[in-house]
Amino acid sequence: MVKLRGTGLSAVNYPTGMNLGGDPSQALIHATTSGSFVVSLSATDLGQGLRTVIGQIAAETLGVRMEDVIVDTADTDTGPHDMGTFASRATHRVGNAVIVAAQEAREALLDVAQDELEAARSDLEFDGLGNILVRGAPDRSLKVADIAAAAQFKYGKTIAGRGAYMKPKSPVDPETGAMDPDSTEAHACTVAEVEVDTETGEVTVLSIRSAYEVGRQVNPALVKGQIVGGAWMGMSHALYETTAPYYPDPDHNPKDFSEYLMPGAHEMPEIDCVVLEYPSSNGPYGVKGVGEMTANSPIPAIVNAIYHATGVRIDELPVTPELILRGLDAQERAAHAAPTAGSTATTGS
């Protein structure tokens, strides 16, 4: 038995959003009588942390505490329009829509605050802690909650905002094929180290190390969580996951998720990452996107590492032990069939 080690590299760039007739998202925000703000969306939190990030973006724009923001990911019957949660678009598209809605709600707050504080609108500022105060006179301030209550019970006004974001569709130039297919692009580079058992064909992933450029990180902990989770998903897709291991023969197909093969905690390699921030010019507070791309770059990095270790180039997924052993066998047969150095071919007459 021989165990061979190899290192593989991959690099990807990943688009945010798509050129789908604008690919729009919308958001609604309104204040309650208690001074909290409800953000209504049709975008979905799939576990990527959208509710948290959108709450941060809304709170930053409104000038209130994050705990004063409630994010309601409703549905397509009750929420404003959204194209969907895909293509790493949610934080970029929805975040931009939320900023527009929050700015409108903020202006509605200032309309009431200037009357309640008897101050010029230009002299009012938010402290980010749920208060509006008169610039240069910190003793003259009111809680956002009190202003929201006054708006509804004293002035008969609504503190609300509507927001929408879309990218104008970019048609394809029929002469050159030029177009603008997305809003912005993030980038990643991954290095994977593997060990291949030449007797069994089993692959052990020893480490996955990546550098990601994702624009501004709204929530660094969530970004790291997505990178680690994506590394697991990429490793799983590269080596384990398939619904038809012996296609087209259905006999050995998994019948349910208990039979669907994925790596467990014991198989997890060392995962390390570095995140670079180059803010996008059109993203909310510089956001690009990080979601789906985290599962992309580990796959070719692992396959390249297997090639570096064994010399076997495999172009189908998952890379099973059987594929590796067949590749090693073919490699050995080719080596035996090749003429040795210095030999000459003879022909009979």
Side-chain angles (χ1 to χ4, degrees), residues 76-121:
T76 52
D77 285 333
T78 61
H81 175 74
D82 193 275
M83 281 291 288
T85 304
F86 59 88
S88 298
R89 67 182 292 283
T91 302
H92 184 281
R93 293 288 200 271
V94 177
N96 275 323
V98 166
I99 286 176
V100 174
Q103 288 171 339
E104 186 173 308
R106 182 186 174 106
E107 292 302 309
L109 274 171
L110 291 174
D111 283 342
V112 176
Q114 66 182 350
D115 293 334
E116 287 293 286
L117 288 168
E118 298 180 345
R121 188 190 191 91

Side-chain angles (χ1 to χ4, degrees), residues 59-174:
E60 178 72 18
T61 309
L62 288 164
V64 301
R65 300 173 304 170
M66 187 178 169
E67 52 262 43
D68 294 327
V69 176
I70 302 166
V71 179
D72 177 21
T73 51
D75 58 42
T76 52
D77 285 333
T78 61
H81 175 74
D82 193 275
M83 281 291 288
T85 304
F86 59 88
S88 298
R89 67 182 292 283
T91 302
H92 184 281
R93 293 288 200 271
V94 177
N96 275 323
V98 166
I99 286 176
V100 174
Q103 288 171 339
E104 186 173 308
R106 182 186 174 106
E107 292 302 309
L109 274 171
L110 291 174
D111 283 342
V112 176
Q114 66 182 350
D115 293 334
E116 287 293 286
L117 288 168
E118 298 180 345
R121 188 190 191 91
S122 59
D123 291 333
L124 300 180
E125 61 183 10
F126 291 77
D127 66 357
L129 300 174
N131 302 294
I132 297 179
L133 47 86
V134 179
R135 189 178 292 107
D139 57 318
R140 295 179 61 196
S141 67
L142 282 173
K143 293 181 179 179
V144 169
D146 293 336
I147 297 171
Q152 297 179 72
F153 295 113
K154 182 178 178 179
Y155 296 92
K157 292 184 177 181
T158 300
I159 306 299
R162 303 155 298 171
Y165 180 82
M166 63 182 294
K167 176 185 182 297
K169 187 173 182 179
S170 173
V172 179
D173 187 311

Side-chain angles (χ1 to χ4, degrees), residues 10 12-15 48 87-88 186-190 208-214 222-237 271-275 289-302:
S10 69
V12 301
N13 70 303
Y14 199 87
Q48 80 279 40
S88 298
H187 306 85
C189 180
T190 295
I208 297 175
R209 295 182 170 88
S210 300
Y212 279 87
E213 187 280 296
V214 300
L222 287 176
V223 170
K224 185 174 182 180
Q226 289 201 357
I227 291 173
V228 173
W232 177 86
M233 292 176 67
M235 169 184 163
S236 186
H237 190 55
I271 296 176
D272 193 18
C273 64
V274 174
V275 179
V290 64
E292 293 179 5
M293 69 183 295
T294 60
N296 290 350
S297 58
I299 299 172
I302 290 170

Side-chain angles (χ1 to χ4, degrees), residues 187-268:
H187 306 85
C189 180
T190 295
V191 177
E193 184 183 11
V194 305
E195 185 176 75
V196 183
D197 188 322
T198 58
E199 183 176 354
T200 65
E202 291 183 282
V203 176
T204 300
V205 181
L206 303 175
S207 66
I208 297 175
R209 295 182 170 88
S210 300
Y212 279 87
E213 187 280 296
V214 300
R216 179 69 54 79
Q217 299 182 84
V218 174
N219 190 307
L222 287 176
V223 170
K224 185 174 182 180
Q226 289 201 357
I227 291 173
V228 173
W232 177 86
M233 292 176 67
M235 169 184 163
S236 186
H237 190 55
L239 300 176
Y240 295 82
E241 294 189 54
T242 177
T243 56
Y246 296 99
Y247 179 83
D249 183 355
D251 292 342
H252 300 286
N253 294 3
K255 304 301 185 295
D256 52 41
F257 282 115
S258 67
E259 297 180 6
Y260 187 72
L261 192 60
M262 294 181 289
H266 181 70
E267 286 80 35
M268 281 297 287

